Amino acid sequence: MLITMKAIKLSIPVIASVLAASSLNLSAQTFNDADSVGVPQRAIILTGNPGENNEHIAVLYSREGMSFDDPSAPRFLFLDREGKVALGIGGYVKGVASYDFDGAIDDNGFVTNAIPVPADPALRNRFGADASHSTIFLKLVTKNSKLGRIIVYVQTNFTGDDGGYGLKLKQAYVSVGHLTAGLARSTFADGESQAPTVDTQGPSGQIDAKNMLFQYKTSSWHGVSAAISAEFPKADYTITAGDAEKISQRFPDIPVYVQYSWKSGNHIRLSGILRELSYRDLVAGKNRFETGWGAHFSTIADIVGGLKFFGHVAYGKGIAHYVNDLGDIGYDLIPSDTPGKMKAPGVLAWTGGLQYNFTKDFFMSANYSYSRVYQNELIGERAYKYAQYVAVNGFYNIIPDLMIGAEYVYGRRNDVDRFHGNANRFEAMLQYSF
C-alpha cells in the first residue's frame, strides 16, 4: 500500500483532550499518559497515518523543559504508515517594535550591561524593530526496542549575521533513551522557570545558556528526577596585558540537578555546577587553573486560581557565562592582586515573578531581576557592579496561533564608582506560530 500525500486533515478526533491552540501555550503542558493523547485538531497531516499508537505525538507536543520563548506544537506532521515515526515541522514568525525613552540601549534586546554609564545625552531615545528571533524547528520521534525512545531536534533563528538576518543554529541534539548529545540548554539552567517576556534578551539575572553537552537524565520516580552532564565550556576573561592570557579549556563544565515535580507544570529544582577555567600566567610562565562553582535554586508553582509564581536564585564563582547579563563581558575570570594570576569573581543572580491567567487565551506577568559581580574593583572604577531589570507584560491569543504581546521594561546599571545609568522601553510583539 503506497503512502500518498494527503490534504489538510482537520477532522481527526482528539482522543483525550484538545491541546492548547497556541504553539506557545500559556502554561507549560506535559503528557503523563502518552497513549491517551490523540492528534491535535490544529495539526496538518502531510503524509502517513497516526495508527493506534500516539505516544510519539505526545512527545512532539510536550513542553517539558522548555522556556516561554521555545517553540512547540509543530503544525505540520509527517507520520509513517504504522505511526512508529513522527516528524514535526514548526516555528513562529515574531516581529517586535520598541521605543526607548529617558535612557536607551543601542540593541534590539534589552541588555542591561549595555546601558550607558553615566547617561549618554546622545542616546536618550531610540526606536527599534526586529524580526530576527523568528524560528524554525524540526523534531523527530521514534522508538527502538533496544535503545528506547529516540528524539532528534534542530532549531534555528535568523540572528547570525551580526545585526542582519543570517541563519543561526540555536539547538541541535539527539536523545537516545536517557542520554542526550548535542547543542542544547545547559543542565544548569531551568527553562520552565524562566520569565515570559516580549524582550528577546530576558531578565538580567536569568540563568540561561546553550552548550554542546553529553547529558544523562533519569526517569521520574514519584516526581523526583535528576540529570548530570559534561558540557564544552565557553569562557570570557578580562585580561591585564602582559600578565596573563586565555588558553584553550582543558576540562568540561559539570552541571547536575535534582528536581521534584507535582501536578502539571509545578516543580522545584536544585542545580550545581563545577568549572575548571584554564589560563596562562605570563609572569610565572606556566599554565594555571581556577576552580569555578555555582548553586542554583529554581521553581515554578501554582499559588491559587490562575496565579503562579516563577523564579530562581543563583550564586557562585566563575559562572558569569551562565548569567544573561554577564555572559560576554569578561567576568568568568578577572585579574587578582598577584601579577599573572587570575580569580573567579563571585556572582549573584536572581529573578522572581508572578503570572496570572485571566483566561486560557490571555495572561499578564511581572518580574524583577538582579545580577551582581563581587570583588572586581581591580578592573577599574567603570567596571560593572550590579544591574536591575523590571518587566510588566501581557499576552493574548487573538485566534489560534496568532499572539500579540505588550511590555514595559525598566533597567538600571550601577558601576563600581557608584555612577549609574537608566533605560526604559515600551515594546509590542506580533507572533504567528506554525
Side-chain angles (χ1 to χ4, degrees):
M1 178 179 176
L2 295 176
I3 300 175
T4 59
M5 293 294 294
K6 297 186 177 181
I8 295 177
K9 212 168 189 180
L10 298 176
S11 60
I12 299 176
V14 176
I15 297 175
S17 60
V18 178
L19 296 177
S22 170
S23 69
L24 282 177
N25 295 332
L26 300 183
S27 60
Q29 182 175 6
T30 58
F31 298 96
N32 298 318
D33 187 4
D35 292 332
S36 68
V37 178
V39 179
Q41 287 184 326
R42 72 186 290 276
I44 299 175
I45 310 298
L46 295 178
T47 184
N49 192 316
E52 298 180 357
N53 188 348
N54 294 294
E55 61 177 318
H56 300 330
I57 305 297
V59 176
L60 277 177
Y61 282 75
S62 171
R63 288 195 60 80
E64 182 179 0
M66 291 186 176
S67 71
F68 177 78
D69 282 337
D70 288 327
S72 67
R75 187 68 174 271
F76 302 97
L77 298 181
F78 294 85
L79 303 168
D80 72 343
R81 211 166 29 178
E82 300 175 348
K84 293 183 177 180
V85 179
L87 172 65
I89 301 175
Y92 56 74
V93 176
K94 178 179 180 179
V96 177
S98 62
Y99 182 73
D100 292 7
F101 61 97
D102 193 21
I105 297 174
D106 193 19
D107 196 292
N108 288 322
F110 198 84
V111 186
T112 49
N113 72 48
I115 296 175
V117 179
D120 180 0
L123 194 62
R124 290 184 54 85
N125 302 81
R126 178 184 180 272
F127 176 75
D130 182 43
S132 64
H133 287 269
S134 301
T135 187
I136 298 172
F137 77 93
L138 294 89
K139 187 174 184 178
L140 181 144
V141 181
T142 185
K143 197 169 186 178
N144 182 274
S145 59
K146 295 181 180 180
L147 300 177
R149 178 169 289 130
I150 299 172
I151 300 173
V152 180
Y153 186 82
V154 178
Q155 181 194 1
T156 65
N157 65 9
F158 299 87
T159 60
D161 193 21
D162 191 24
Y165 288 92
L167 199 65
K168 181 178 181 179
L169 184 67
K170 289 194 69 177
Q171 297 189 83
Y173 61 82
V174 178
S175 294
V176 181
H178 296 286
L179 297 173
T180 298
L183 177 63
R185 177 169 281 112
S186 171
T187 304
F188 191 58
D190 181 359
E192 290 181 67
S193 71
Q194 293 177 3
T197 58
V198 173
D199 171 36
T200 54
Q201 171 71 9
S204 60
Q206 186 164 279
I207 300 296
D208 195 24
K210 293 182 175 67
N211 294 336
M212 289 294 299
L213 55 76
F214 294 94
Q215 182 195 71
Y216 177 82
K217 181 180 178 182
T218 69
S219 300
S220 178
W221 182 76
H222 296 291
V224 178
S225 60
I228 186 171
S229 62
E231 305 189 5
F232 287 86
K234 297 177 182 178
D236 195 20
Y237 303 165
T238 296
I239 301 292
T240 301
D243 281 356
E245 66 180 6
K246 184 179 177 181
I247 60 176
S248 299
Q249 299 303 299
R250 312 297 176 85
F251 301 97
D253 293 351
I254 307 293
V256 60
Y257 76 72
V258 177
Q259 175 173 301
Y260 174 69
S261 303
W262 71 99
K263 295 173 62 176
S264 177
N266 291 257
H267 73 254
I268 56 174
R269 178 186 290 191
L270 181 61
S271 310
I273 191 170
L274 180 66
R275 312 187 76 193
E276 287 291 339
L277 300 167
S278 308
Y279 71 97
R280 183 161 182 80
D281 180 343
L282 297 178
V283 176
K286 61 174 63 175
N287 296 338
R288 296 189 185 275
F289 308 96
E290 187 70 19
T291 299
W293 60 270
H296 178 207
F297 174 80
S298 56
T299 186
I300 180 168
D302 294 324
I303 299 176
V304 61
L307 184 66
K308 67 172 58 180
F309 172 82
F310 57 87
H312 77 92
V313 58
Y315 179 80
K317 293 191 174 184
I319 61 168
H321 164 66
Y322 291 89
V323 180
N324 251 8
D325 212 30
L326 306 177
D328 59 356
I329 58 174
Y331 284 171
D332 283 320
L333 289 184
I334 62 175
S336 72
D337 295 325
T338 304
K341 290 189 177 182
M342 305 191 74
K343 65 180 181 181
V347 169
L348 173 66
W350 63 274
T351 302
L354 295 170
Q355 175 181 320
Y356 186 76
N357 289 18
F358 293 90
T359 70
K360 68 181 182 65
D361 291 322
F362 173 59
F363 79 87
M364 295 188 68
S365 78
N367 72 80
Y368 172 83
S369 188
Y370 179 87
S371 56
R372 180 168 186 150
V373 179
Y374 297 90
Q375 306 161 332
N376 65 335
E377 293 81 5
L378 288 177
I379 298 178
E381 293 184 347
R382 302 304 303 277
Y384 177 109
K385 185 175 183 180
Y386 67 87
Q388 301 172 82
Y389 177 106
V390 179
V392 180
N393 52 47
F395 297 89
Y396 177 62
N397 285 320
I398 303 174
I399 59 173
D401 301 319
L402 182 62
M403 177 184 284
I404 58 173
E407 181 172 74
Y408 165 71
V409 191
Y410 166 79
R412 176 186 175 111
R413 169 178 166 156
N414 283 65
D415 286 353
V416 170
D417 60 8
R418 300 186 180 181
F419 281 92
H420 70 272
N422 300 319
N424 296 266
R425 176 173 291 183
F426 281 123
E427 50 193 339
M429 174 195 83
L430 179 66
Q431 177 175 301
Y432 187 84
S433 302
F434 57 88

